[in-house]
């Protein structure tokens, strides 16, 4: 345990500036182009549904499970009062989870806590696996968790650092695109049960306000995350 703790809290040296820049460009390409985005969007869905689940637990709602679907959508099932602060906070947490998780990961990266970050991601995936209620969702989490575990066990420290940087940028950039896609669907009236529209029914504010709020938090997270990881 002493050796594991020493390994866990070990501080890695700062990456070279070009590594930070290239990792940001790689993440931007993944998010910006259709094919890589379709292949990786499910990771953002995992963070999104994890945000709903965590907030449901924090607000003492009964969490019944999480489902992840092959079209990269997902749903978190909870029970409790259909209105009130707990329901509002649970609905708010989904779109805010990926950028805020990316911001927290950016802070850990800036502190050189890459090992803590990777083990933390693995722990979150294991916790979500216990809540999954469909086969596809379990398969996706097992594959993702297996890849993270292999990274921990077999990849050298510099490779872990590069992968962590790409993942941090991906969470930051990837938190913005689903919000833009959400607004496009709302304009075509194809997202009547979206988080923003549910919040509009729960409160006196329109759905467009919540879309703007999601976008504001996501952009602010990118700005602060970039500031933390600024190679200069």
């Amino acid at each position: 345990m002493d050796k594991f703790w020493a390994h866990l809290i070990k501080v890695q040296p700062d990456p070279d500036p070009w590594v930070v820049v290239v990792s940001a460009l790689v993440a931007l390409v993944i998010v910006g182009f259709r094919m890589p985005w379709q292949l990786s969007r499910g990771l953002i869905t995992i963070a999104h549904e994890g945000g709903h689940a965590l907030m449901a637990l924090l607000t003492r709602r009964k969490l019944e499970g999480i489902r992840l679907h092959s079209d990269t959508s997902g749903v978190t099932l909870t029970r409790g009062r259909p209105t009130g602060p707990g329901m509002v906070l649970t609905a708010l947490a989904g779109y805010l989870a990926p950028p805020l998780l990316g911001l927290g990961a950016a802070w850990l990266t800036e502190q050189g806590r890459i090992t803590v970050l990777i083990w933390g991601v693995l722990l979150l995936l294991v916790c979500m696996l216990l809540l999954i209620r469909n086969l596809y969702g379990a398969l996706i989490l097992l594959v993702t968790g297996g890849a993270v575990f292999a990274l921990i066990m077999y990849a050298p420290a510099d490779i872990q650092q590069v992968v962590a940087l790409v993942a941090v940028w991906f969470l930051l950039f990837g938190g913005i695109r689903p919000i833009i896609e959400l607004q496009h669907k709302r304009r075509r009236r194809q997202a009547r049960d979206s988080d923003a529209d549910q919040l509009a029914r729960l409160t006196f504010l329109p759905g467009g306000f919540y879309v703007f709020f999601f976008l504001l938090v996501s952009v602010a997270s990118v700005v602060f995350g970039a500031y933390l990881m600024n190679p200069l």
Side-chain angles (χ1 to χ4, degrees), residues 17 20 110 169 224-232:
V20 179
E110 189 271 337
W169 286 114
F224 284 114
Y227 171 76
L228 289 172
M229 295 193 295
N230 181 8
L232 301 180

Side-chain angles (χ1 to χ4, degrees), residues 24-41:
L25 292 176
V26 170
L28 194 58
V29 168
I30 294 173
V31 173
F33 288 88
R34 182 177 181 180
M35 183 60 70
W37 173 243
Q38 289 298 322
L39 293 174
S40 60
R41 194 184 191 281

Side-chain angles (χ1 to χ4, degrees), residues 131-209:
L131 300 170
I132 283 293
R133 295 297 181 265
N134 68 322
L135 181 60
Y136 180 82
L139 178 62
I140 289 299
L141 286 177
L142 285 171
V143 171
T144 306
V148 174
F149 183 74
L151 179 69
I152 293 173
M153 297 301 296
Y154 303 113
D158 54 346
I159 298 299
Q160 292 183 12
Q161 187 177 63
V162 170
V163 173
L165 285 170
V166 173
V168 170
W169 286 114
F170 174 73
L171 284 170
L172 291 172
F173 294 143
I176 295 178
R177 181 161 178 172
I179 300 169
I180 297 173
E181 293 174 346
L182 169 64
Q183 184 57 22
H184 288 165
K185 290 181 179 179
R186 293 185 71 252
R187 287 178 180 174
R188 297 192 297 267
R189 299 183 182 277
Q190 297 177 347
R192 296 179 182 275
D193 291 324
S194 69
D195 292 352
D197 292 283
Q198 290 184 45
L199 286 164
R201 292 192 289 269
L202 289 167
T203 64
F204 60 88
L205 297 170
F209 168 82

